[in-house]
Amino acid sequence: MVLVDTSVLLDVLQQDPNWADWSQQQLDAASLRTGLCINPVIYAELSIAFARIEELEAVVDEAELSVAEIPREALFLAGKMFVRYRRRRGAVRTGVLPDFFIGAHAAVSRLPLLTRDVTRYASYFPTVELIGPD
């Protein structure tokens, strides 16, 4: 399984002019090798792009995305890495906690992560295999 970050899916869904082609190619390549999954945090982030849950569910089904639960060990790790981030950078950015849940899930479950945000994930979750832009 490959865990797919929200931004990659939104690139395709919203036809991002800079990233849609790259993201679609990466999704296609990964799905040929293995299954694709998201977690509840990614699901929640994706929900912002839809008016109704049925629309989101249709996309999840069509893309053959499974929804994997986040292990408790990953939830714990996400909190610890977020604290480290805040100590290093202060309150520079808000809204980054979901990335720590996603990175910790990939780390604990040993899932490759398809993402465009390789820098933060590499910094805080160095054991995660990242599939990202060169």
Side-chain angles (χ1 to χ4, degrees):
M1 285 295 224
V2 171
L3 186 62
V4 181
D5 198 9
T6 312
S7 60
V8 173
L9 295 166
L10 287 176
D11 289 345
V12 175
L13 291 170
Q14 297 176 341
Q15 287 300 298
D16 183 280
N18 298 316
W19 290 104
D21 289 340
W22 180 87
S23 293
Q24 186 64 63
Q25 290 170 1
Q26 297 305 311
L27 287 166
D28 291 344
S31 68
L32 290 174
R33 291 189 312 271
T34 187
L36 303 175
C37 68
I38 59 174
N39 63 32
V41 172
I42 297 165
Y43 187 97
E45 288 184 319
L46 281 176
S47 74
I48 295 167
F50 298 91
R52 300 177 55 236
I53 190 171
E54 293 83 3
E55 296 168 357
L56 174 54
E57 283 294 313
V59 167
V60 168
D61 288 343
E62 184 179 326
E64 298 180 353
L65 296 167
S66 63
V67 181
E69 291 303 316
I70 303 173
R72 287 186 182 173
E73 296 85 358
L75 299 172
F76 185 84
L77 178 60
K80 295 302 179 188
M81 292 300 103
F82 185 68
V83 167
R84 182 183 296 176
Y85 166 80
R86 292 294 298 262
R87 285 184 181 145
R88 285 183 180 173
R89 305 198 179 189
V92 176
R93 286 185 58 197
T94 59
V96 298
L97 184 56
D99 290 345
F100 287 91
F101 286 116
I102 294 165
H105 184 186
V108 168
S109 298
R110 293 185 174 97
L111 295 170
L113 177 61
L114 173 55
T115 183
R116 286 194 285 108
D117 188 14
V118 296
T119 304
R120 181 178 309 120
Y121 289 118
S123 296
Y124 291 92
F125 304 101
T127 63
V128 173
E129 176 190 341
L130 298 171
I131 304 166
D134 296 330

